[in-house]
Amino acid sequence: MALVTSTEMFKKAYDGGYAIGAFNVNNMEIVQAITEAAAELKSPVILQASAGARKYANSIYLVKLVEAAVELHPELPIVLHLDHGADFATCKDCVDNGFTSVMIDYSSHSFEENIAESKKVADYAHEHGVVVEAELGTLAGVEDDVKVADDKAMYTDPDQVEEFVKRTGVDSLAIAIGTSHGAYKFKPGTNPKLRLDILAEVAKRLPGFPIVLHGSSSVPQEYVKIINEHGGALKDAIGIPEDQLREAAKGAVCKINIDSDLRLGLTAGVRKHFVEHPDHFDPRQYLTDGRSNVKDIVAHKIVDVLGSNNKI
Ligand code: G3H
Ligand code: 13P
Ligand code: ZN
C-alpha cells in the first residue's frame, strides 16, 4: 500500500469510537518503533513531522524513511503529515514533496487571518489530493517556535467552528480543550481535567467531522522515574490522564498527537543503557534500548488509549 490520506481512517475511527495515533518522527529509530508496533497490532497510523524535525533530519530523509516503512509494512495504512505548518509556503512544500496530509497552524493569528490562510492551503492541497488540518483556539506551551503563555491559552469557542470549517474547507480541526505541548502540562497538586464539555459542544455543531487533539502526551511516570534515576533531572513533569483521552477518542476525536511520551521513552532507554554499560559507545547498542521503549509506548497507546488495534 502506498501512503494514504486520513480520509478513510477518520471516517472509520469516528464511526467506530476510536482515534488514530499521530506520532512525531525525527529519525529512523522512531519511524521503526512506531510502524513496527502499529503493524503488529494492526493499527492504522499517522507519522508526523514538525518544522523542527524537518530542520533536524532534512525533510527528504524523513519522507524516504517513511516510504521505507510503507515498503516494509505493505498492509499498514500510513499517513505522512506535516505537524504545525506555519504558513502556506511550508504546507505547499510538503504537498509538493510526498506528504499526504498537512496542518496549517494559524491559530495564533486573528480569526479572519486563520480562515484566509487555512482556505488557501486547503484549496492548494485538495487540488493535489492532500488533506488539511487546521487549528482553532490556542494551546498553552510550546508550538514549535511559537511560545504561548499559560494565561493566554484559549479554549476553542464552539460558536466559531461551523463558520471556520465551512469557509476554509479543511478536512479536520484541532481544538483547544485543556491539552498542551511538552512534558510540563500541569502544576503539581492541580487536578488535570480536559474540557470534554467543549468537545461535546463542538461535535454537536460539526456532526461527523473529525476533531484533533494536540498536546496529548500523558508523561508516563515510570519513564520519568527511570530518567531521574539515571542522571536525569525532570521535575514535576505531568501529562494528560489517559482515561480522559480514551473518553475523547470514543467521541469526535479521530486524531491524537503524541510526541513528548516518545521522547521520554527514548531518553529513558538511552540513559539507563549508559549507566548500566559505561563502556559502551556503539550507538546501535543504546539506541536499541531507546527504540524498544518507544515501541512499547506506542503499543500501549494503541491498545489502551486510542483503541485503534485490529482495525486493518
Ligand atoms: O507540537 C510540538 C511537537 O511536539 C513537535 O515538537 O517542534 O520540538 O519538533 P518540535
Ligand atoms: P505532546 O507534547 O503532548 O506529545 O504533543 C505533541 C503534539 O501535539 C504534536 O503536534
Ligand atoms: Zn501539536
Side-chain angles (χ1 to χ4, degrees):
M1 191 187 290
L3 281 173
V4 297
T5 72
S6 48
T7 308
E8 187 70 19
M9 267 183 207
F10 286 169
K11 197 181 164 354
K12 286 188 187 162
Y14 198 103
D15 295 343
Y18 61 94
I20 309 295
F23 300 101
N24 286 70
V25 295
N26 293 279
N27 64 16
M28 181 186 75
E29 286 75 11
I30 297 174
V31 172
Q32 290 172 325
I34 297 165
T35 51
E36 277 172 26
E40 282 171 22
L41 291 163
K42 300 188 183 354
S43 167
V45 74
I46 298 172
L47 302 180
Q48 57 186 12
S50 69
R54 296 175 76 230
K55 195 170 156 197
Y56 169 75
N58 183 314
S59 196
I60 296 172
Y61 273 111
L62 292 178
V63 172
K64 301 290 178 197
L65 283 170
V66 172
E67 285 173 0
V70 168
E71 196 175 326
L72 286 164
H73 303 287
E75 74 296 349
L76 185 66
I78 302 178
V79 173
L80 175 55
H81 174 76
L82 166 67
D83 192 25
H84 295 285
D87 49 28
F88 175 79
T90 310
C91 293
K92 179 179 183 302
D93 187 56
C94 289
V95 169
D96 294 346
N97 287 288
F99 284 61
T100 52
S101 174
V102 293
M103 176 191 191
I104 171 69
D105 183 359
Y106 240 54
S107 58
S108 58
H109 298 254
S110 73
F111 185 64
E112 285 301 326
E113 285 167 340
N114 193 355
I115 286 181
E117 196 77 357
S118 300
K119 178 175 170 20
K120 194 173 163 190
V121 171
D123 288 348
Y124 184 80
H126 290 163
E127 274 169 28
H128 295 79
V130 170
V131 293
V132 177
E133 171 188 331
E135 179 170 322
L136 201 50
T138 315
L139 273 68
V142 181
E143 293 200 341
D144 281 8
D145 296 333
V146 185
K147 284 194 172 57
V148 183
D150 269 10
D151 55 358
K152 285 238 185 88
M154 285 189 319
Y155 295 118
T156 301
D157 178 358
D159 285 342
Q160 292 186 328
V161 297
E162 260 177 290
E163 182 185 351
F164 186 85
V165 167
K166 207 166 166 188
R167 286 178 59 193
T168 56
V170 296
D171 305 279
S172 62
L173 185 67
I175 62 168
I177 59 166
T179 61
S180 63
H181 291 104
Y184 303 91
K185 299 183 192 297
F186 301 99
K187 301 215 163 59
T190 54
N191 187 16
K193 224 169 167 38
L194 295 185
R195 291 289 304 272
L196 296 175
D197 57 319
I198 296 179
L199 171 63
E201 195 53 47
V202 167
K204 220 188 276 174
R205 313 291 179 97
L206 296 172
F209 192 81
I211 299 301
V212 177
L213 286 190
H214 282 248
S216 296
S217 276
S218 295
V219 189
Q221 293 303 303
E222 63 267 37
Y223 291 100
V224 173
K225 190 163 178 269
I226 293 171
I227 290 171
N228 287 340
E229 283 174 355
H230 296 85
L234 302 182
K235 202 175 166 316
D236 301 330
I238 299 171
I240 312 288
E242 289 187 335
D243 57 333
Q244 294 184 35
L245 294 169
R246 183 72 201 100
E247 215 40 50
K250 285 184 193 159
V253 170
C254 295
K255 173 174 180 272
I256 293 189
N257 285 13
I258 296 166
D259 186 4
S260 298
D261 285 357
L262 309 189
R263 297 179 182 195
L264 291 169
L266 188 59
T267 302
V270 172
R271 276 198 177 279
K272 188 164 183 282
H273 188 100
F274 278 138
V275 170
E276 290 175 355
H277 307 280
D279 55 324
H280 281 184
F281 62 96
D282 180 342
R284 292 171 297 188
Q285 293 172 316
Y286 54 84
L287 288 176
T288 294
D289 287 0
R291 179 172 60 188
S292 161
N293 282 355
V294 174
K295 185 174 171 183
D296 289 349
I297 290 168
V298 171
H300 164 66
K301 299 287 175 188
I302 286 172
V303 174
D304 299 317
V305 181
L306 303 157
S308 62
N309 49 315
N310 296 319
K311 299 298 189 293
I312 298 173

